[in-house]
């Protein structure tokens, strides 16, 4: 058995050695940038490592690691410890709500704009350029601009004051902070959905719409039975990417609130706060959050792909 496996590997290498040579640099880079940090992070979750007991270099003196191996204690503490709800579950629930609302808004608004831009209209290229600008502008510029507009006395509250509407404390009130985070992330994420879905719309044969119209289908029926099925493949991909990116959307939350706004912190920013935003830094707990985040997304992706496969089989 082992000899047969070795022979197959040798045969594959002799046949595809050029392909292996081409992908080798990528494998090495991924191993250094992804593989090693992942293995190191998982190892730290099994310890009580903090900024006080990890090895460090001070001048010419090297202080070795002095942390202890604690097994799965960090996972038990994060998930079932005395303050697990305040430290993990409350942020997990908010992260799920944040992800669901943002992806829904990204997709629905993006689809609406894509359908609008897919129609023949004067100045369509200009509209596309204007609508894609929020995605083209660097995220930190966009978020800092929104932070200025959402501040007390900023443009948003100024507009609400002119309309005689309440002026929330977008950067201070817990509920308003969550709404502000969703607003800014929607602004940042809609252009990607719009462009992706616009490409999907343009790949749907026009003959399908013509046939449906000749059969007397209404606009809603054409949307339901032609547009949505035609976008199924694109939609499944962009929704999955949207969930992964939004679940791990560090930049918007961190740049908008920094280390404040504890109620608006999602899991990834809370993990950063544990590892880099406090003293002493708790590297073990921060790494535990990272591994839990990765595990949650792997489980979600697995079930999501299986659900899509079952739907494809049922519709096929």
């Amino acid at each position: 058995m082992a000899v047969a496996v070795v022979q197959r590997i040798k045969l594959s290498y002799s046949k595809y050695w050029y392909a292996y040579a081409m992908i080798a640099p990528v494998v090495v880079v991924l191993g250094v940038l992804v593989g090693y940090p992942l293995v190191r992070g998982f190892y730290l979750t099994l310890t009580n490592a903090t900024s006080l007991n990890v090895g460090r270099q001070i001048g010419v003196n090297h202080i070795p690691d002095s942390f202890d191996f604690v097994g799965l204690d960090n996972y038990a503490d994060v998930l079932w410890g005395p303050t697990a709800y305040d430290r993990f579950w409350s942020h997990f629930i908010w992260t799920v709500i944040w992800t669901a609302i943002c992806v829904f808004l990204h997709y629905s608004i993006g689809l609406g704009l894509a359908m609008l831009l897919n129609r023949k209209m004067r100045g369509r290229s200009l509209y596309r350029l204007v609508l894609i600008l929020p995605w083209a502008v660097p995220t930190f510029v966009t978020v800092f601009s929104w932070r200025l507009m959402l501040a007390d006395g900023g443009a948003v509250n100024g507009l609400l004051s002119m309309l005689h509407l309440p002026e929330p404390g977008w950067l201070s009130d817990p509920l308003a902070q969550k709404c502000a985070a969703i607003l800014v992330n929607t602004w940042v994420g809609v252009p990607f959905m719009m462009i992706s879905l616009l490409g999907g719309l343009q790949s749907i044969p026009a003959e399908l719409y013509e046939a449906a119209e000749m059969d007397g289908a209404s606009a809603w029926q054409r949307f339901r039975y032609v547009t949505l099925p035609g976008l199924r493949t694109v939609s499944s991909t962009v929704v999955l990417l949207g969930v992964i990116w939004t679940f791990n959307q560090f930049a918007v939350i961190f740049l908008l609130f920094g280390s404040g706004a504890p109620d608006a912190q999602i899991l990834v920013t809370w993990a950063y706060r544990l590892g880099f935003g406090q003293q002493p830094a708790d590297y073990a707990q921060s790494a535990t959050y990272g591994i839990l985040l990765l595990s949650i997304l792997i489980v979600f992706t697995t079930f999501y792909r299986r659900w899509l496969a079952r739907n494809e089989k049922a519709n096929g």
Side-chain angles (χ1 to χ4, degrees):
M1 181 68 177
V3 175
V5 171
V6 172
Q7 288 179 343
R8 281 201 298 269
I9 293 175
K10 288 182 177 180
L11 179 61
S12 176
Y13 178 77
S14 63
K15 188 175 182 179
Y16 302 109
W17 67 269
Y18 185 76
Y20 289 137
M22 290 296 100
I23 66 172
V26 178
V27 173
V28 172
V29 171
L30 288 177
V32 173
L33 298 181
V34 179
Y36 172 74
L38 183 61
V39 173
R40 173 68 175 175
F42 178 72
Y43 170 69
L44 288 178
T45 67
L46 306 177
T47 69
N48 60 353
T50 68
S51 57
L52 301 178
N53 57 23
V54 295
R56 53 198 179 276
Q57 192 78 25
I58 302 179
V60 296
N61 299 316
H62 176 71
I63 301 176
D65 293 334
S66 59
F67 52 77
D68 300 316
F69 183 83
V70 297
L72 300 177
D73 287 355
N74 285 312
Y75 294 96
D77 182 50
V78 169
L79 297 174
W80 302 292
T83 57
Y85 180 80
D86 292 331
R87 291 184 295 118
F88 178 80
W89 292 110
S90 61
H91 297 289
F92 171 74
I93 293 170
W94 162 235
T95 303
V96 172
I97 294 172
W98 142 275
T99 301
I101 294 176
C102 286
V103 173
F104 172 77
L105 291 175
H106 290 169
Y107 185 85
S108 56
I109 298 174
L111 178 58
L113 292 174
M115 293 181 65
L116 182 64
L117 293 179
N118 196 43
R119 306 173 70 177
K120 293 181 179 180
M121 63 172 65
R122 184 175 298 176
R124 183 169 61 175
S125 299
L126 177 62
Y127 295 145
R128 288 182 182 178
L129 177 62
V130 170
L131 290 172
I132 204 175
L133 275 179
W135 192 38
V137 173
T139 303
F140 78 92
V141 175
T142 301
V143 178
F144 282 151
S145 299
W146 273 104
R147 184 169 180 171
L148 290 174
M149 291 190 292
L150 292 171
D152 294 337
V156 174
N157 279 350
L159 177 61
L160 293 176
S161 177
M162 290 175 56
L163 298 175
H164 303 289
L165 295 174
E167 302 175 33
W170 298 105
L171 304 179
S172 56
D173 179 71
L175 180 59
Q177 287 171 341
K178 294 180 178 180
C179 295
I182 291 173
L183 171 64
V184 175
N185 193 54
T186 300
W187 175 270
V188 171
V190 161
F192 168 76
M193 285 286 187
M194 179 190 70
I195 294 299
S196 301
L197 293 172
L198 179 60
L201 287 172
Q202 292 177 343
S203 68
I204 300 175
E207 293 80 4
L208 295 178
Y209 289 102
E210 294 172 0
E213 193 170 358
M214 291 179 61
D215 289 340
S218 64
W220 166 250
Q221 289 173 325
R222 294 196 298 272
F223 172 75
R224 180 178 179 183
Y225 297 108
V226 178
T227 302
L228 289 182
L231 288 175
R232 185 177 293 117
T233 302
V234 174
S235 296
S236 62
T237 301
V238 295
V239 167
L240 178 60
L241 290 175
V243 168
I244 294 173
W245 290 342
T246 306
F247 202 84
N248 285 323
Q249 179 56 271
F250 175 85
V252 169
I253 301 293
F254 183 77
L255 295 176
L256 198 59
F257 305 116
S259 297
D263 291 333
Q265 300 293 327
I266 58 177
L267 286 176
V268 66
T269 57
W270 191 255
Y272 174 85
R273 184 175 182 175
L274 290 174
F276 302 97
Q278 66 179 26
Q279 289 297 330
D282 195 335
Y283 297 142
Q285 289 267 322
S286 180
T288 301
Y289 275 75
I291 296 298
L292 289 173
L293 274 167
L294 178 61
S295 302
I296 291 168
L297 289 175
I298 289 175
V299 170
F300 169 79
T301 302
T302 301
F303 280 98
Y304 180 76
R305 300 302 298 179
R306 289 181 179 178
W307 176 73
L308 289 176
R310 284 199 300 267
N311 282 354
E312 288 291 337
K313 185 179 291 187
N315 294 326

